[in-house]
């Protein structure tokens, strides 16, 4: 079975998570500089079968798009032009950063490691992906 990949897109860095081949478990893959994202994905798609890419959709508490929504929408368009056959699913990413930080605390990570914004982005992508997998099962 092909994998599902999740992207927590940011202007500086992007967190990436991926499922196992059975699409049961979401795991953090990496955090990379955003300016290298397309090259990273191109290389990853050559090595691994991916059927769907989730891309976070930032929203405000009232459900309206957040300030960064237009930047991410531009990335989605760019991505779809480069990878026209890849299925893209937009997922609500509200609270994922807070949940990621809480996960780091609950895991007992030191204060220094909790300041690693790249790790927060990777965990956020993992949370989005796990939520998506859970919603598919019901």
């Amino acid at each position: 079975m092909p994998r599902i990949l999740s992207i927590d897109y940011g202007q500086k860095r992007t967190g990436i998570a991926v499922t196992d081949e059975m699409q049961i478990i979401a795991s953090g893959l990496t955090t990379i500089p955003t300016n290298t994202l397309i090259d990273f994905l191109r290389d990853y798609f050559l090595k691994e079968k991916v059927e769907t890419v989730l891309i976070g959709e930032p929203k405000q508490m009232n459900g309206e798009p957040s300030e960064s929504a237009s930047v991410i929408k531009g990335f989605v368009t760019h991505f779809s032009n480069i990878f026209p056959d890849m299925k893209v699913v937009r997922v609500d990413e509200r609270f994922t950063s807070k949940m990621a930080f809480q996960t780091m605390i609950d895991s007992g990570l030191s204060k220094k490691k909790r300041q690693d914004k790249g790790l927060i982005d990777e965990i956020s992508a993992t949370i989005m992906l796990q939520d998506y997998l859970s919603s598919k099962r019901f």
Side-chain angles (χ1 to χ4, degrees):
M1 234 172 135
R3 298 175 189 270
I4 301 171
L5 186 131
S6 175
I7 297 174
D8 182 30
Y9 185 87
Q11 291 185 347
K12 293 181 182 177
R13 63 190 174 275
T14 296
I16 301 172
V18 68
T19 64
D20 61 315
E21 292 173 343
M22 299 299 293
Q23 296 183 4
I24 297 170
I25 300 169
S27 301
L29 182 63
T30 190
T31 301
I32 59 170
T34 297
N35 63 350
T36 66
L37 179 57
I38 294 296
D39 290 336
F40 175 88
L41 293 172
R42 198 176 273 129
D43 184 54
Y44 189 82
F45 295 159
L46 287 173
K47 294 176 186 172
E48 298 287 344
K49 288 181 89 173
V50 175
E51 72 175 6
T52 303
V53 173
L54 308 180
I55 301 174
E57 188 167 20
K59 295 181 180 181
Q60 297 175 12
M61 292 297 293
N62 65 3
E64 294 293 315
S66 74
E67 297 171 12
S68 59
S70 63
V71 172
I72 296 173
K73 188 175 181 180
F75 167 72
V76 171
T77 300
H78 182 63
F79 177 92
S80 295
N81 287 335
I82 294 171
F83 306 107
D85 297 328
M86 185 64 65
K87 178 181 175 185
V88 174
V89 176
R90 302 296 307 275
V91 293
D92 188 347
E93 66 175 38
R94 280 181 287 188
F95 308 115
T96 56
S97 292
K98 288 182 180 170
M99 291 168 65
F101 190 74
Q102 187 61 49
T103 299
M104 293 168 76
I105 292 170
D106 295 345
S107 299
L109 289 180
S110 68
K111 188 173 184 178
K112 182 173 179 149
K113 287 187 179 181
R114 291 192 310 254
Q115 293 172 344
D116 180 354
K117 293 187 187 299
L119 184 55
I120 293 172
D121 295 335
E122 185 177 326
I123 294 171
S124 294
T126 307
I127 290 169
M128 286 190 305
L129 184 51
Q130 191 62 56
D131 287 349
Y132 177 79
L133 292 174
S134 295
S135 72
K136 277 182 58 176
R137 291 189 188 113
F138 295 108

